[in-house]
Amino acid sequence: MTKGLPNAKNASTHIPWLYDIDPEDTNWIITSSFMIFTMQTGFGMLESGCVSIKNEVNIMMKNVVDIVLGGLTYWIFGFALSFGRSPHNNGFIALGDFFTDPRLKDPLKGAIYAAFIFQLSFATTATTIVSGAMAERCNFKAYCIFSFLNTAIYCVPAGWMWGEHGFLKQMGAVDIAGSGAVHLIGGSAAMASAMMLGPRLGRYDNGIKTLPLGNPVNAVMGLFVLWWGWLAFNSGSTYGVSLLLGVGLNCRVLLQLSGEKWHYAARAPVMTMMSSFGGGTTSLIYSLIRLKGRIDAIDIINGILGSLVAVTAGCFLYQAWEALLIGCVGALLACGFMPIFDMMGIDDPVGASAVHGVGGIWGVLAVGIFAENPFPLDTTNGRSGVIKGGGWYLLGVQSLACVCLVAWGVTSSVILLWGINKIVTIRMEVHAELLGADLTEHSVKHGNVGVSRAISVLGPVLDPKDIENLDNVGMNPMHERNLNLVKNLSRKKRYKLSRILRDVTKNRNLGINLARNLFPKKKSKKEGAAARKDVPAIQVDEVAAPPRMAWID
């Protein structure tokens, strides 16, 4: 997040930067929030495409829970821990404005609502990063508890980086749109969660080779939706498009600098796209070399996402070539660390630990190397990166931020999951993992994806009656029943179709439609003869011979 110079209304009373916005800024912030929420769709599609089909509904439901339960706790205490206004605030945590709901007469009520919805979109994004790393073996009930409490894991360090009380912010740490506060925290929590759960059953029995994607098209479509949402993620983090200077400046300066923020709001999405161009190109080359001329979809997806994560911390502080380079490095780190985590036995089905964790570290450090002072905004407190002649201070404080965020993300996640495991076992039972979470957790039975075989094999040791009575997803069981009835009637009696259908629908409510309008009408002999005349006769020499099948070597 960033802020502009003080507004004129600050002359008499201090207003936190989070609420120092005008109506034009508010419009920009709210619109960006709506776009950022579409990233939940992207994460859901990406994650459901990376897991096996028998677990795709389960992972989508976890994304729903992240918004519902995570959003509830963010309203109760999350926003307060990050940005609360209280005399008891300290450098570690804020302690005010719980159960966010400003009074109608509060002059800041519009700004508070706008800030809350914007920060909520970031909080739910950080939480849902973790769901992919826990896919295919996490107990859904345990995950609900985790999602409910995981808000605290994100909100405390978000306050460090963005809250006026935060010790890292006061030291000058820069994280415009959340490479650290959102992605590094999410990636660290994802790695810790994958470690606590252990690998999927049999995951490394035959080495570290990646498992096939359940639906590669869904995964790629998820990438496109995330790409779209990321533009608002970064551009919206200018936190407005206007900039009015305070009292005491002459009119000439006011006219020159007013509205300067929108230039950076326009620069942010361009640099975001430049970074993704570099990341996409690099991941294509990486995949071609690794697979000797072939392309792996997950390499391209995670390479592009790694580049987007990397540019997020300083999205409007870079020149085009710098954003391109940052994206290239982010893609290499994301793609390169995925097999490294597998070699460590950390089973992360979607690669969240590498993409968001490692990519987030690089994104935070890149600010200390490449950032330039975005005058007249005070985003970097007047500092620049190492190659811009700004010295080593900014890189040093960015490095400290990485250490603090990783330590918090890993430690707090381990403690939280350990506590939840004492209440509800976080790892689903072995038979449930073999059958698939869609079946065992949500009563969704897939066909032709190995579920029936699992039911058959587990039959002697597990009562399968409830499962066998379920119908496969995608079919209408009552239509199947009626088709079987038609089939039996056609065998017993040589009825015409209209007679059979009348027997099938006897004594049933068909609404306002009369039965005679629902069944096929019998054609008269004259109509049949006329129809036959209209059909041209087929000449023997016009019938083409069927092609011969040739063996292909």
Side-chain angles (χ1 to χ4, degrees):
M1 307 295 170
T2 187
K3 58 174 181 156
L5 296 179
N7 199 313
K9 61 188 175 185
N10 289 354
S12 58
T13 180
H14 173 70
I15 297 176
W17 73 266
L18 196 66
Y19 308 135
D20 190 13
I21 52 179
D22 59 27
E24 187 179 9
D25 293 332
T26 303
N27 183 38
W28 175 253
I29 292 165
I30 293 174
T31 303
S32 298
S33 303
F34 297 164
M35 291 175 62
I36 295 169
F37 269 114
T38 63
M39 295 180 75
Q40 293 293 141
T41 305
F43 276 116
M45 294 180 70
L46 172 61
E47 293 169 8
S48 66
C50 288
V51 302
S52 57
I53 293 176
K54 63 184 180 181
N55 290 296
E56 63 180 6
V57 176
N58 180 258
I59 199 68
M60 291 296 284
M61 292 305 299
K62 287 176 179 174
N63 277 269
V64 172
V65 164
D66 286 336
I67 298 177
V68 175
L69 298 181
L72 179 61
T73 51
Y74 191 76
W75 171 72
I76 295 172
F77 62 81
F79 188 73
L81 297 181
S82 296
F83 304 105
R85 297 166 293 172
S86 169
H88 303 293
N89 287 0
N90 54 70
F92 180 78
I93 196 170
L95 296 168
D97 297 321
F98 294 94
F99 298 93
T100 307
D101 191 14
R103 293 175 290 104
L104 290 179
K105 294 183 179 180
D106 189 337
L108 294 177
K109 63 178 179 296
I112 293 173
Y113 285 130
F116 176 80
I117 196 68
F118 188 75
Q119 298 298 335
L120 175 63
S121 67
F122 274 62
T124 54
T125 299
T127 301
T128 203
I129 290 171
V130 187
S131 61
M134 303 171 75
E136 301 202 87
R137 76 271 199 206
C138 180
N139 184 316
F140 186 74
K141 298 179 183 63
Y143 185 83
C144 287
I145 300 174
F146 175 81
S147 182
F148 188 78
L149 299 175
N150 187 51
T151 305
I153 294 178
Y154 160 77
C155 292
V156 172
W160 299 348
M161 299 296 290
W162 295 326
E164 293 193 339
H165 68 282
F167 72 95
L168 290 174
K169 180 178 177 61
Q170 292 179 1
M171 293 177 68
V174 177
D175 187 11
I176 293 173
S179 287
V182 176
H183 297 285
L184 181 49
I185 287 295
S188 300
M191 183 187 71
S193 302
M195 291 171 57
M196 292 289 284
L197 280 170
R200 288 166 286 180
L201 195 63
R203 170 65 181 90
Y204 299 119
D205 288 355
N206 296 316
I208 65 170
K209 183 180 178 181
T210 57
L211 300 180
L213 301 181
N215 191 328
V217 174
N218 262 17
V220 176
M221 289 299 293
L223 167 65
F224 283 123
V225 177
L226 287 171
W227 217 334
W228 148 263
W230 226 294
L231 296 175
F233 202 82
N234 288 357
S235 186
S237 291
T238 56
Y239 208 66
V241 290
S242 65
L243 178 59
L244 298 176
L245 299 188
V247 175
L249 294 176
N250 62 55
C251 294
R252 177 177 296 179
V253 176
L254 181 62
L255 289 173
Q256 287 176 343
L257 300 184
S258 178
E260 198 60 29
K261 200 184 292 185
W262 75 270
H263 293 292
Y264 294 100
R267 189 185 196 188
V270 174
M271 296 306 109
T272 300
M273 293 304 297
M274 290 300 300
S275 181
S276 67
F277 299 157
T281 303
T282 301
S283 57
L284 276 168
I285 296 171
Y286 170 88
S287 192
L288 284 168
I289 295 173
R290 185 175 72 87
L291 299 177
K292 299 178 180 179
R294 295 183 180 179
I295 301 295
D296 187 357
I298 197 65
D299 282 342
I300 308 305
I301 292 170
N302 283 346
I304 293 173
L305 291 179
S307 67
L308 291 168
V309 170
V311 78
T312 295
C315 51
F316 61 74
L317 303 178
Y318 307 130
Q319 296 178 354
W321 72 269
E322 295 166 342
L324 198 69
L325 177 61
I326 290 169
C328 292
V329 176
L332 281 176
L333 290 173
C335 293
F337 268 84
M338 284 193 293
I340 292 175
F341 280 118
D342 283 326
M343 286 188 285
M344 296 167 61
I346 300 175
D347 180 20
D348 185 344
V350 300
S353 305
V355 171
H356 300 278
V358 180
I361 291 174
W362 165 237
V364 174
L365 294 178
V367 173
I369 300 172
F370 298 102
E372 60 182 354
N373 177 24
F375 180 81
L377 274 62
D378 63 350
T379 308
T380 63
N381 298 295
R383 300 186 181 95
S384 298
V386 172
I387 69 169
K388 299 295 176 64
W392 294 92
Y393 181 86
L394 185 57
L395 181 59
V397 77
Q398 295 297 105
S399 301
L400 174 63
C402 288
V403 173
C404 294
L405 294 174
V406 171
W408 172 264
V410 173
T411 304
S412 58
S413 298
V414 169
I415 294 173
L416 178 58
L417 287 170
W418 179 84
I420 294 172
N421 195 55
K422 296 295 183 180
I423 304 170
V424 180
T425 305
I426 60 174
R427 177 88 188 216
M428 68 171 59
E429 296 171 308
V430 172
H431 75 275
E433 186 174 345
L434 293 171
L435 290 168
D438 287 4
L439 183 64
T440 58
E441 301 274 15
H442 310 289
S443 298
V444 175
K445 184 180 178 183
H446 296 278
N448 303 319
V449 294
V451 174
S452 298
R453 171 172 165 74
I455 294 172
S456 176
V457 172
L458 292 171
V461 293
L462 184 70
D463 185 6
K465 290 182 180 178
D466 292 338
I467 294 174
E468 289 176 345
N469 291 332
L470 293 174
D471 296 297
N472 284 353
V473 66
M475 64 177 289
N476 186 325
M478 299 314 297
H479 281 183
E480 292 292 322
R481 179 181 174 185
N482 280 281
L483 286 172
N484 288 332
L485 182 58
V486 171
K487 184 178 180 181
N488 293 333
L489 285 172
S490 63
R491 284 177 178 175
K492 292 179 180 179
K493 301 178 182 179
R494 294 184 177 180
Y495 285 161
K496 296 184 183 298
L497 178 60
S498 58
R499 176 69 182 277
I500 292 173
L501 295 179
R502 282 189 174 87
D503 284 354
V504 170
T505 59
K506 188 182 297 182
N507 299 325
R508 296 190 182 186
N509 179 17
L510 299 179
I512 64 172
N513 299 295
L514 297 175
R516 64 174 177 270
N517 296 326
L518 297 176
F519 304 121
K521 295 179 180 179
K522 181 181 178 181
K523 289 184 178 180
S524 65
K525 292 182 179 180
K526 291 182 179 180
E527 290 176 340
R532 284 191 294 274
K533 284 183 180 180
D534 294 336
V535 178
I538 300 176
Q539 302 297 326
V540 176
D541 57 357
E542 292 179 356
V543 179
R548 298 180 61 186
M549 300 298 293
W551 292 103
I552 300 175
D553 295 329

